[in-house]
Amino acid sequence: MRGTPTQITLTINGSPQTWTVGSRDMLLHVLRDHKYFSVKQGCDTGDCGICTVLVDGKPVRSCMTRAVDVAGKSVQTTEGLSQNGELHPIQEAFMETGGAQCGFCTPGKIMAAKALLDRNPDPTVEEVREAMSGVLCRCTGYVRTNDAVLRAARKLRGEDTGPLQPLRFFLTEEESAADAPLPEDYRRADGDLKPLPPVVITPPDMPATEVVGKPEIKVDARKLVLGRPVYAFDKYVDGMLYAALLTSPHAHARIIDIDTSAAEALPGVHAVLTYKNVPRIKYASGGQSPPQPPPYDQVMFDNKVRHVGDRVAAVAAETPELAEKALRLIKVKYEALPHVIDPLEAMRPGAPVIHDEEDTEGIYDAQRNIVFHIEAEVGDVDKAFAEADYVHEAEYYTPKQQHVHLEPHVTITWWGEDDRLVVYTSTQVPFHVRRIIAPLIGVDPKRIRVIKPRIGGGFGNKQEIILEDVCAMLTVRTGRAVRLEYSRKQEFYSSRSSHPNIVRYKVGVKDGKVTAAQLYFLGDTGAYGAHALTVQMVGGFKGLTLYNAPNSRFISDAVYTNQPPTGAFRGYGATQAQYGYEVIMAEIAEKLGLDVVEFKRNNLLKVGEPMLLAKKLGEGREGYEQALTTSAIEECLDIGLRVTDFYAKRKAYANQTGRYRKGIGFATTMHGSGIAGLDMAAATIKMWDDG
Ligand code: FES
Ligand code: FES
């Protein structure tokens, strides 16, 4: 409780309540303390909007609203929407349109929609967009959710919405996707914002399907639109301790000494962890299939910090406030070291050496901060460049991006009734969590049970062991349940992000065909290199395979800097590499006076072709021969060109003046899910006794 205890009376979802709250307590935390778990926390700073509730019918950010300020008022949360098990039409519409993917933002969106439709039963698309714009979403996006609001409005007005149907076309032998009779409003005129239904085109050689291509309500959509407490973030265990992390204010420093005596003496503090009292066991935090690629360049706590936000100490205490107070009592004596945050400078002789410890193995060139150097080649690249009609070189840069999954990293650990350590965590890699933390905490893997509930977004950042080892160690040391979570700020400083890349391409063209391609791909892996090898290799493979030049060369360096570490991120390196290739192909088309679409289409990997670099660039190891066996890229191109009105807009935008101008571009991409020869899939069919 923060501030003076104050009694307030209010109405929650129609039910009168009298609560004692602190004068500075925010409504978000008070509601969650009273188990209104539909009210989510994404930032606690008023930015994301997913904590939206209605106060006297108006949407407010509950993290920015003091609980004492709603005394005497009526508060509505998603828990109050459904009646007697019947969903509210807004909840139905979110299910039907697929408006809830991870679902963490969904209750906030539903409350924003309710506020709009209560005051405006027939909103325009623009009004829906405006009303919903304050609630961020990182996975569904906004088309389906805005569609849900319009559909809910029709339901509430008593109109027949009917089942949601995609546009389906079955092509004959004589037709191509370009012939599919799309309605005229499928052409996206400038300013047309109306959500459109999905299009499903079935080529002539494919039989009509019973299920694929038809809308299906997600099996778990109901619990999401009801705002049920299905995430690790919603997990509280009776009597649990709250952990907090002390992190480095320095980009690069040695810890000369650390004094935790005052923190340990604070009543209510049960454990303090530092490099002095945890074993020095090397590991890599990336959740990757064993044998895990090196280097094992991390320990739970080190006497050196390598980025702002690096771990220094952890405490477990009776309350979050006490844990924070204990952190402030820890005295750390740092020796600041020179730091380097630019990967090109980090590779130069004389740059600060970030991993100078002797017990990390597997770094390619520690003195130059190069974690990995990769080379792969097919054909005779130099000869092909020499024989090309035209050779173009260019360099591009992709910045660091954070995943910003709306549910932060959160882990709760406790000893289960069968003396197994339960790790309840927001992760994408539960089996890797168990394997990786077992040696760090000194518990046999068989005695560790990892539970991965639904996660509120991960996008690769939860393919990493971020909090689990520390939280589990605190439970081992105290015997108590412990909860550890990151703040939004810590997500940026201390979790992971995408690799910023320097992307240098050289492409040779002969008779309109790409005959030679060379990619130098420099990745800044930050302070640790858990995904450095694999992200770079995938970037090279996917980047160069889209156009699959017969003579291709890939050279890559992954480099340590004193930036926060990087990891798995949507696309896993392919996005960065393909971005560069798409731009250089457009530049070549312009230079040669070619139609960019046809130039790219002419060069795309075709069905039946082997992917030439597949064997040389596996994921962290030698790969497998692969070939493209099916593809609908031609159909996608045809439809994409039509619905975007590509050529008409390109012509219209060509002769603009003024500071602000519009443009339209064309890009293709390839993406892979799963790792050849490594990942497995299986299905089990079970007949129940009820038939
Ligand atoms: S705006 Fe309240 S939690 Fe983000
Ligand atoms: S569904 Fe919106 S954040 Fe995941």
Side-chain angles (χ1 to χ4, degrees):
M1 188 175 291
R2 299 193 315 157
T4 315
T6 310
Q7 200 173 69
I8 60 168
T9 299
L10 70 166
T11 305
I12 305 272
N13 298 329
S15 156
Q17 305 277 342
T18 299
W19 292 342
T20 301
V21 301
S23 56
R24 289 188 288 117
D25 282 347
M26 291 298 165
L27 181 59
L28 165 66
H29 303 292
V30 170
L31 286 170
R32 289 185 62 84
D33 285 348
H34 286 85
K35 301 198 179 342
Y36 291 92
F37 288 125
S38 76
V39 190
K40 301 297 187 215
Q41 177 184 325
C43 64
D44 218 15
T45 49
D47 296 301
C48 72
I50 67 169
C51 62
T52 296
V53 298
L54 305 191
V55 175
D56 286 347
K58 296 209 171 60
V60 302
R61 288 166 193 240
S62 57
C63 71
M64 293 284 102
T65 306
R66 290 188 314 167
V68 289
D69 292 337
V70 299
K73 297 188 176 173
S74 165
V75 175
Q76 282 175 279
T77 69
T78 300
E79 280 92 348
L81 275 190
S82 64
Q83 298 295 329
N84 304 320
E86 292 285 315
L87 294 181
H88 187 280
I90 299 176
Q91 293 169 310
E92 285 176 358
F94 268 75
M95 282 179 61
E96 290 160 0
T97 61
Q101 202 177 108
C102 85
F104 204 70
C105 70
T106 304
K109 283 205 171 288
I110 285 175
M111 295 320 289
K114 172 107 176 42
L116 170 69
L117 299 182
D118 282 351
R119 68 182 155 76
N120 180 358
D122 191 8
T124 63
V125 175
E126 288 73 17
E127 286 166 338
V128 170
R129 287 167 66 103
E130 175 63 28
M132 302 298 287
S133 64
V135 185
L136 299 185
C137 175
R138 291 291 291 160
C139 27
T140 306
Y142 301 94
V143 173
R144 297 270 73 86
T145 49
N146 290 347
D147 201 9
V149 181
L150 291 165
R151 186 174 174 83
R154 292 197 294 278
K155 282 174 181 265
L156 288 163
R157 294 197 302 269
E159 296 170 17
D160 181 14
T161 50
L164 197 80
Q165 292 293 354
L167 294 173
R168 304 193 83 198
F169 302 109
F170 296 89
L171 300 181
T172 63
E173 292 290 351
E174 292 73 41
E175 290 174 323
S176 74
D179 302 313
L182 291 176
E184 188 49 35
D185 67 0
Y186 235 84
R187 285 179 184 272
R188 303 300 278 175
D190 276 350
D192 179 1
L193 305 171
K194 184 161 54 67
L196 298 171
V199 174
V200 180
I201 295 177
T202 307
D205 54 342
M206 188 180 282
T209 52
E210 287 297 321
V211 177
V212 176
K214 295 181 182 171
E216 186 72 27
I217 290 177
K218 284 158 64 113
V219 288
D220 46 5
R222 184 179 165 86
K223 67 187 179 194
L224 303 182
V225 300
L226 284 165
R228 295 231 167 108
V230 296
Y231 306 92
F233 196 78
D234 299 326
K235 184 75 177 174
Y236 292 83
V237 176
D238 284 345
M240 73 181 183
L241 301 174
Y242 293 83
L245 278 168
L246 182 68
T247 59
S248 169
H250 295 282
H252 198 194
R254 209 167 292 285
I255 300 176
I256 304 299
D257 197 16
I258 186 162
D259 178 0
T260 58
S261 54
E264 283 165 313
L266 195 65
V269 171
H270 292 264
V272 181
L273 304 179
T274 70
Y275 74 93
K276 288 185 173 181
N277 63 2
V278 299
R280 186 176 176 85
I281 297 170
K282 305 294 294 194
Y283 75 106
S285 59
Q288 309 210 57
S289 299
Q292 189 155 0
Y296 287 22
D297 56 7
Q298 289 165 266
V299 291
M300 190 183 295
F301 290 96
D302 205 347
N303 61 351
K304 187 181 183 192
V305 286
R306 298 176 179 83
H307 67 96
V308 172
D310 208 354
R311 292 174 180 178
V312 174
V315 300
E318 292 289 344
T319 66
E321 294 77 16
L322 206 50
E324 290 297 330
K325 186 173 177 186
L327 292 186
R328 291 194 292 275
L329 294 174
I330 296 174
K331 295 193 187 73
V332 188
K333 192 170 169 199
Y334 295 101
E335 177 199 353
L337 300 171
H339 64 269
V340 59
I341 56 171
D342 180 303
L344 290 171
E345 283 178 22
M347 295 167 75
R348 291 200 182 111
V353 178
I354 294 167
H355 283 273
D356 54 355
E357 67 277 5
E358 288 184 353
D359 54 359
T360 294
E361 294 175 2
I363 299 175
Y364 174 75
D365 183 348
Q367 292 304 308
R368 292 176 60 217
N369 295 307
I370 302 175
V371 197
F372 290 107
H373 177 81
I374 308 159
E375 293 191 12
E377 187 164 336
V378 290
D380 188 337
V381 179
D382 294 326
K383 182 164 174 276
F385 277 128
E387 293 174 355
D389 301 335
Y390 179 70
V391 176
H392 191 67
E393 290 184 68
E395 179 175 299
Y396 310 95
Y397 173 72
T398 59
K400 205 176 183 70
Q401 277 180 282
Q402 223 281 328
H403 314 68
V404 199
H405 37 79
L406 288 179
E407 182 198 32
H409 284 90
V410 55
T411 301
I412 305 98
T413 50
W414 67 91
W415 285 111
E417 50 284 332
D418 51 4
D419 285 335
R420 292 175 82 200
L421 183 74
V422 181
V423 181
Y424 198 93
T425 187
S426 186
T427 182
Q428 295 170 240
V429 286
F431 293 100
H432 298 320
V433 168
R434 180 168 69 167
R435 176 177 53 80
I436 292 172
I437 70 169
L440 306 185
I441 60 173
V443 176
D444 193 309
K446 289 199 291 289
R447 291 188 62 216
I448 299 174
R449 180 184 178 205
V450 178
I451 300 175
K452 183 210 89 74
R454 183 170 194 82
I455 64 170
F459 319 129
N461 203 13
K462 293 177 181 172
Q463 194 192 328
E464 193 93 15
I465 312 311
I466 299 265
L467 300 177
E468 290 87 350
D469 56 326
V470 174
C471 198
M473 188 60 128
L474 287 167
T475 286
V476 168
R477 290 283 166 91
T478 63
R480 299 271 298 268
V482 178
R483 177 182 169 112
L484 177 57
E485 68 185 63
Y486 268 161
S487 66
R488 183 56 57 191
K489 193 170 168 183
Q490 285 174 314
E491 289 289 350
F492 282 91
Y493 281 114
S494 301
S495 72
R496 303 292 181 263
S497 65
S498 70
H499 291 67
N501 279 91
I502 293 172
V503 185
R504 264 180 224 147
Y505 272 104
K506 180 176 175 183
V507 174
V509 180
K510 191 173 177 64
D511 299 329
K513 293 289 279 185
V514 175
T515 50
Q518 175 176 297
L519 167 61
Y520 176 66
F521 199 46
L522 174 61
D524 173 358
T525 188
Y528 300 103
H531 288 268
L533 176 66
T534 42
V535 163
Q536 297 301 108
M537 289 181 86
V538 170
F541 171 50
K542 298 278 168 38
L544 286 166
T545 300
L546 184 59
Y547 295 110
N548 210 33
N551 306 287
S552 293
R553 177 182 290 147
F554 177 63
I555 304 171
S556 174
D557 289 303
V559 179
Y560 286 128
T561 65
N562 292 114
Q563 298 270 12
T566 56
F569 182 95
R570 293 173 154 179
Y572 210 71
T575 330
Q576 294 95 313
Q578 289 179 351
Y579 155 71
Y581 214 158
E582 287 304 293
V583 178
I584 197 169
M585 288 290 280
E587 289 175 358
I588 292 170
E590 195 170 324
K591 285 267 193 299
L592 298 181
L594 301 172
D595 178 291
V596 64
V597 177
E598 293 312 313
F599 176 55
K600 289 185 177 180
R601 192 199 291 257
N602 189 27
N603 280 286
L604 281 171
L605 176 70
K606 303 283 186 309
V607 170
E609 287 181 6
M611 301 181 192
L612 299 173
L613 282 165
K615 192 161 171 61
K616 296 199 169 169
L617 290 175
E619 195 158 324
R621 63 203 84 195
E622 186 180 64
Y624 290 80
E625 298 292 1
Q626 296 178 54
L628 187 66
T629 52
T630 64
S631 170
I633 189 76
E634 290 290 335
E635 287 82 356
C636 288
L637 293 184
D638 288 341
I639 295 290
L641 291 172
R642 283 175 66 194
V643 301
T644 57
D645 236 350
F646 179 81
Y647 285 110
K649 283 184 183 156
R650 203 159 166 90
K651 198 169 163 196
Y653 297 157
N655 299 311
Q656 297 168 88
T657 54
R659 186 172 175 199
Y660 299 107
R661 305 175 202 180
K662 277 188 178 172
I664 185 164
F666 170 84
T668 50
T669 188
M670 69 181 280
H671 179 65
S673 264
I675 306 170
L678 197 64
D679 286 346
M680 298 174 289
T684 304
I685 298 175
K686 193 166 187 175
M687 177 78 86
W688 292 100
D689 53 5
D690 63 359

